Amino acid sequence: MTDASRAPRMLAAMAHPDDAEILIGGTLFHLKSLGWELGIMTMTSGDCGSQTHSRVEIISIRHAEAEAAAAFLGAWYGCAGLKDIEIFTNVDNLRKVVERMRNFDPDLVITHSPVDYMLDHEETSRLVRGAAFALAIPLYRTHRDEPAAATRATPALYYADPVEGIDPMGERVRPQFYVDISDTMEQKREMLKFHSSQREWLRAHHGIDEYLNRMTEWAEGYGRECGAAYAEGFRQHRGHGYPQEPILQEALKQFLVFSF
Ligand SMILES: [Zn+2]
């Protein structure tokens, strides 16, 4: 249940800078225009995302890109301080993720699909699932010097489509519902452009704007499945202990499509 005394709060908790834009960017702009407070949290600063820069350089570049992209959306941005390729569900990482998530205090969290093309995404999904459960447990401590307070309630948990919509065996992971993002597709593209270190690397490598083109093709593909020009797919975590109310579906009902 959301708290009626404040605007509802949605946190996109993803592995790397640019994942939120690519996977759920259109939906983020819908929520923004509906008055939601938005946050984007990444597990890492994208410290392996360069062929030319040092790790120190690319961390600073990508952190700045992620902050600028979040500012374009009008969202809070936080990084959990994990490392690329080394996102694992362990106690240290869980404490970092819980601390960051408590800082934002979300009513609703969207993370990666439990199955996805790389382990960083799958482990983020697992970490965020565990952290979401722990947020509102006062006796769960993160052992920081000045820890954030436990939240009022466990947030609703949703999963984005995996990258390209498929599991590691190449099978389509069917969403429970689609969000028609035709009206926000241009804003999604503009937001993704803030990640210029990734865009320029792919553009130099392929000779075409592969970064924006691939994201657009995926959104077109999901759109074809549900009869929209562009779409993003979602599933709700419905296990015991997590909110069961269809909060996201109700908020976005004017953009929702269920047919395949
Ligand atoms: Zn990623």
Side-chain angles (χ1 to χ4, degrees):
M1 295 291 285
T2 54
D3 180 347
S5 67
R6 67 177 194 179
R9 301 172 70 81
M10 194 283 324
L11 179 68
M14 299 295 184
H16 313 111
D18 79 9
D19 283 330
E21 289 82 341
I22 291 170
L23 295 170
I24 62 168
T27 299
L28 294 179
F29 282 99
H30 278 322
L31 290 171
K32 188 71 188 174
S33 66
L34 291 166
W36 283 55
E37 288 291 328
L38 304 183
I40 296 175
M41 169 186 175
T42 61
M43 299 299 122
T44 83
S45 290
D47 53 287
C48 289
S50 178
Q51 301 275 30
T52 53
H53 295 289
S54 71
R55 280 190 69 246
V56 171
E57 287 170 345
I58 196 64
I59 285 172
S60 140
I61 290 168
R62 296 198 68 186
H63 194 92
E65 289 172 351
E67 282 185 330
F72 176 70
L73 171 67
W76 172 90
Y77 173 70
C79 177
L82 278 49
K83 299 277 188 292
D84 283 354
I85 319 294
E86 293 184 350
I87 299 175
F88 294 112
T89 307
N90 59 43
V91 66
D92 288 341
N93 289 345
L94 184 66
R95 287 173 181 170
K96 289 177 181 170
V97 174
V98 168
E99 186 67 22
R100 267 306 196 195
M101 289 175 72
R102 281 177 171 169
N103 287 150
F104 185 73
D105 186 14
D107 299 304
L108 190 157
V109 175
I110 303 175
T111 187
H112 290 287
S113 167
V115 292
D116 207 330
Y117 83 108
M118 76 175 296
L119 280 178
D120 270 3
H121 286 199
E122 295 189 358
E123 289 286 315
T124 296
S125 184
R126 196 168 171 80
L127 264 172
V128 171
R129 174 183 168 184
F133 199 89
L135 291 188
I137 299 176
L139 288 180
Y140 182 74
R141 295 169 52 217
T142 59
H143 298 270
R144 294 292 175 273
D145 288 341
E146 294 181 33
T151 61
R152 185 186 50 86
T154 304
L157 181 63
Y158 286 79
Y159 301 115
D161 265 331
V163 170
E164 295 191 72
I166 56 176
D167 71 14
M169 304 301 129
E171 300 293 326
R172 179 73 172 106
V173 175
R174 288 286 175 192
Q176 293 166 346
F177 62 93
Y178 295 88
V179 175
D180 184 336
I181 59 161
S182 306
D183 294 346
T184 51
M185 186 62 193
E186 193 51 42
Q187 289 166 294
K188 175 177 162 108
R189 283 176 62 88
E190 289 302 311
M191 188 176 172
L192 188 58
K193 287 180 185 174
F194 282 92
H195 298 277
S196 53
S197 65
Q198 307 306 292
R199 186 184 179 200
E200 294 311 322
W201 179 77
L202 281 169
R203 187 146 57 181
H205 189 71
H206 293 278
I208 54 172
D209 202 342
E210 185 76 1
Y211 195 55
L212 292 182
N213 291 350
R214 278 190 314 182
M215 178 275 282
T216 304
E217 284 166 16
W218 297 336
E220 279 174 342
Y222 307 146
R224 272 194 298 279
E225 292 178 352
C226 67
Y230 303 100
E232 292 165 347
F234 295 90
R235 288 174 293 164
Q236 183 172 9
H237 186 98
R238 290 174 173 152
H240 179 76
Y242 294 81
Q244 303 290 306
E245 298 88 352
I247 298 170
L248 188 63
Q249 297 91 316
E250 285 177 4
L252 295 169
K253 55 180 179 285
Q254 61 190 301
F255 308 109
L256 231 58
V257 195
F258 288 97
S259 59
F260 300 143

